[in-house]
Amino acid sequence: QVLFPGLDLRFLRLLRLLRVFKLTRYFTSFELLLTVLHEERKSLTGIFFIMMVMLTLAASALYLVERDIQPNSFGSIPQAMWWAVAALTTVGYGDVYPISLTGQILGSLVTILGIGMVALPSGILASAFSEQMRRRREALEDTIQDALEDGLITDEELAAIRKVGRNLSMSEEQIEKFVEESQHIFNKDRNI
């Protein structure tokens, strides 16, 4: 207040919310999500770029079609972008919409494209999340197989298995069951 009289700096308290991100190290699902986002950053950036191009093209096209009919809503391309954002994100507020037949056809096409654009990042993230989980399961299986090479699982090996299992967000019971099943399969294969 001394340096900036009249400026309310209470909004800086929002920066305290950044501490929430420190909690991610305690939740493996958050850590997994951050890993997936990091791995897919190029794909997601590409999709964001495509969405921005589509947004600009949709707003420009609707501006050309509706500017004379609705100058208050579509009088400029930035004004038309409000409608384009609502249409591409499939929110469709309804406060601004095309009224000409050409504008309505264009609006329908943009809305259908918007559904696809929402589905693209969802599919990429779901696929990457599944792939990351598969890798972690394989790591657990490899850790168990390495531990079973001599036929016995030592305490140290069991601790390593539990650590990998916890990274998969598995409960202790699930980890124990997985180890028992792996031991059963290992013993069965040895007897054959």
Side-chain angles (χ1 to χ4, degrees):
Q1 293 278 348
V2 176
L3 291 175
F4 304 103
L7 181 64
D8 188 9
L9 298 176
R10 286 184 286 180
F11 74 93
L12 292 176
R13 292 179 185 170
L14 289 174
L15 294 176
R16 291 180 184 172
L17 291 175
L18 294 176
R19 288 187 283 180
V20 169
F21 292 111
K22 288 183 180 181
L23 293 175
T24 59
R25 73 181 103 170
Y26 301 112
F27 298 103
T28 56
S29 55
F30 286 138
E31 185 261 330
L32 181 62
L33 180 62
L34 290 175
T35 301
V36 166
L37 288 172
H38 180 72
E39 285 182 0
E40 296 300 324
R41 68 188 179 279
K42 289 181 181 178
S43 299
L44 295 173
T45 303
I47 287 173
F48 181 74
F49 177 75
I50 291 169
M51 285 186 84
M52 294 307 295
V53 169
M54 285 180 58
L55 173 75
T56 305
L57 291 175
S60 300
L62 213 63
Y63 162 74
L64 292 173
V65 172
E66 294 280 323
R67 70 177 173 213
D68 295 331
I69 301 168
Q70 298 185 71
N72 291 338
S73 301
F74 298 100
S76 68
I77 292 175
Q79 281 181 314
M81 280 188 174
W82 171 251
W83 169 83
V85 167
L88 281 172
T89 58
T90 69
V91 175
Y93 289 115
D95 57 343
V96 178
Y97 53 89
I99 56 175
S100 70
L101 179 62
T102 308
Q104 290 174 345
I105 292 170
L106 183 63
S108 299
L109 291 173
V110 169
T111 303
I112 290 169
L113 286 173
I115 292 169
M117 290 309 294
V118 168
L120 270 175
S122 302
I124 288 171
L125 289 176
S127 172
F129 194 81
S130 176
E131 175 65 20
Q132 190 63 235
M133 289 299 290
R134 185 191 62 74
R135 283 189 214 152
R136 289 184 179 197
R137 279 192 198 99
E138 284 180 359
L140 177 61
E141 290 171 2
D142 291 345
T143 305
I144 292 172
Q145 290 303 320
D146 289 345
L148 284 172
E149 279 183 359
D150 60 357
L152 295 172
I153 297 179
T154 65
D155 290 338
E156 295 85 25
E157 292 169 333
L158 188 58
I161 291 169
R162 285 187 174 138
K163 182 179 180 184
V164 174
R166 275 187 241 109
N167 283 340
L168 285 168
S169 300
M170 295 174 73
S171 68
E172 291 296 323
E173 295 83 30
Q174 290 173 321
I175 296 169
E176 292 297 327
K177 185 176 178 185
F178 201 78
V179 169
E180 287 173 14
E181 289 173 1
S182 297
Q183 282 178 323
H184 178 70
I185 291 169
F186 177 78
N187 291 332
K188 188 177 174 183
D189 289 344
R190 276 181 66 186
N191 292 332
I192 292 179

